[in-house]
Amino acid sequence: MKQPARTPQGKKPAARVKRKSREELNQEARDRKRDKKHRGNASGSRANSGSTTSQGTAGRQQQDPRIGSKKPIALGADAAQSVKPAQTKPAVKKKAVAVDPADELTALENDPRLDGLLDRLENGDTLSAEDQAWLDQTLDRIDVLMEQLGIDINEGNDEEDQEAEEDMYRLLKGSH
């Protein structure tokens, strides 16, 4: 028995697809590569991005896309003269707020800067004029606060001073 034809009789059979040659395939690949290579922004587009914007912004001054200070800096020999010396310790003036004198005295006595400067003086070091002025001012303030609180520095120290002097004489006499 004979089998019927697979195509309907009213239609022609489909034409065979012609295979592309190696040269044609290579050329298509090169074209795809070229198209892929040119993706992205044009060179310099980051720096010149504002130039292609709408004309409405042309009236305003363009903003600089760079980050940071735009202040001009003098270069060369003139620059060294224009630089101001930096202050090491700016003078900070504290306004007197109604503080309890006992609390203020305690704070001044526990001040690490005061302790450091007094230690340097005891070791025989010389202080700068600024440090010496601050130390004198602080010690004067401590004296005023002690007078307000009724504290006497020399109170009861006379007996201790005499005992200390006697101990020193004994040590000096005993060592010879």
Side-chain angles (χ1 to χ4, degrees), residues 50-62:
S51 63
T52 59
T53 58
S54 65
Q55 294 176 353
T57 60
R60 293 186 309 187
Q61 184 179 6
Q62 290 182 340

Side-chain angles (χ1 to χ4, degrees), residues 58-175:
R60 293 186 309 187
Q61 184 179 6
Q62 290 182 340
Q63 285 187 340
D64 195 350
R66 295 173 293 180
I67 298 173
S69 175
K70 280 58 168 193
K71 181 179 177 182
I73 298 173
L75 301 176
D78 296 335
Q81 295 173 356
S82 65
V83 174
K84 297 178 183 176
Q87 294 179 352
T88 55
K89 294 179 184 176
V92 177
K93 294 185 179 181
K94 296 181 181 177
K95 293 186 178 178
V97 180
V99 180
D100 187 30
D103 293 338
E104 187 178 354
L105 181 63
T106 306
L108 286 174
E109 289 175 346
N110 295 331
D111 189 7
R113 183 177 178 195
L114 177 65
D115 292 339
L117 292 176
L118 289 175
D119 289 341
R120 285 177 55 192
L121 276 178
E122 289 176 6
N123 293 336
D125 294 346
T126 57
L127 300 178
S128 67
E130 181 182 340
D131 288 339
Q132 186 66 42
W134 183 87
L135 181 66
D136 292 340
Q137 182 183 5
T138 306
L139 291 177
D140 290 343
R141 182 64 184 156
I142 289 174
D143 289 340
V144 169
L145 290 173
M146 290 179 85
E147 287 177 13
Q148 285 180 355
L149 294 173
I151 300 172
D152 188 14
I153 298 173
N154 296 329
E155 184 178 296
N157 289 342
D158 294 335
E159 296 173 9
E160 293 175 8
D161 289 341
Q162 290 175 356
E163 290 176 13
E165 288 178 17
E166 290 174 10
D167 290 339
M168 291 296 287
Y169 288 130
R170 282 189 215 137
L171 287 173
L172 291 173
K173 289 179 184 176
S175 64

Side-chain angles (χ1 to χ4, degrees), residues 20-32:
K20 296 181 181 178
S21 67
R22 176 53 52 195
E23 289 179 12
E24 291 173 338
L25 290 173
N26 288 345
Q27 185 60 40
E28 286 178 3
R30 279 188 221 107
D31 293 339
R32 281 194 310 269

